[in-house]
Amino acid sequence: MHNNSVRVVVIEDNADDRELLLRQLKKSGMASHVKFIDDGKEALDFLVGPRTEVLAEDLIAIFLDLKLPSLDGLELLRRLRANDRLRNLPVIVMTSSNDPQDMEECRRLKVTSYVPKPVSFTTFSKAVADVFHLPDHGSNPASRTES
């Protein structure tokens, strides 16, 4: 891992959801290694470019909203999965979409987890615990999502 490296990328345009996720990332010790991006095109430019090789070595996960400005999350996900260095990176999708086609496309693109919005603290806790292999403290089994 490189000094001051980005370990987690959060691609989310909703400030409340970013804050909720940041609270959980602080608990996992990752808060200082997070890059927040609120635009799909900006995320693509950051992830796929001259820094891709270093990012691929350091990144643990991407948290991705499907409804983003300039480039939607599904198209961004397709491009990440097409990239040899990033294709196996865990992606946790957070979305307000209940469209069965979106869910099926996420499954086809092998997302790690699909978290429906509005997102509760418990749901985020579970997603973060799963990605970082942490104990899932305070989680209610009834609120867990399927991978």
Side-chain angles (χ1 to χ4, degrees):
M1 179 171 78
H2 300 86
N3 277 348
N4 300 320
S5 61
V6 174
R7 306 296 317 269
V8 177
V9 175
V10 177
I11 308 164
E12 170 63 67
D13 61 340
N14 181 292
D16 292 336
D17 289 338
R18 284 194 310 264
E19 183 60 34
L20 190 59
L21 186 51
L22 182 59
R23 285 175 50 199
Q24 274 309 111
L25 292 170
K26 283 179 182 176
K27 286 185 175 184
S28 66
M30 286 290 146
S32 63
H33 298 283
V34 178
K35 169 81 172 168
F36 288 97
I37 304 173
D38 62 5
D39 177 275
K41 175 80 170 80
E42 183 183 334
L44 182 64
D45 291 346
F46 177 76
L47 292 165
V48 180
R51 298 186 64 218
T52 300
E53 189 170 338
V54 171
L55 282 170
E57 290 175 13
D58 292 342
L59 278 177
I60 295 172
I62 294 174
F63 288 82
L64 174 65
D65 183 12
L66 291 186
K67 308 295 183 195
L68 293 166
S70 78
L71 181 69
D72 75 54
L74 280 173
E75 182 57 30
L76 177 58
L77 183 57
R78 284 182 198 101
R79 293 185 189 191
L80 293 177
R81 293 305 190 222
N83 182 289
D84 289 338
R85 296 206 181 268
L86 300 173
R87 81 167 24 114
N88 296 315
L89 188 66
V91 175
I92 297 84
V93 167
M94 308 169 300
T95 185
S96 57
S97 173
N98 57 6
D99 182 339
Q101 289 180 324
D102 286 351
M103 294 171 77
E104 182 54 37
E105 184 67 358
C106 284
R107 276 193 281 284
R108 189 185 73 72
L109 293 167
K110 297 181 174 41
V111 300
T112 304
S113 209
Y114 189 93
V115 180
K117 290 182 182 179
V119 179
S120 70
F121 185 75
T122 301
T123 305
F124 261 143
S125 297
K126 167 82 172 98
V128 171
D130 287 350
V131 169
F132 298 112
H133 308 290
L134 301 171
D136 188 15
H137 298 296
S139 165
N140 177 347
S143 68
R144 293 184 180 175
T145 60
E146 295 289 318
S147 294

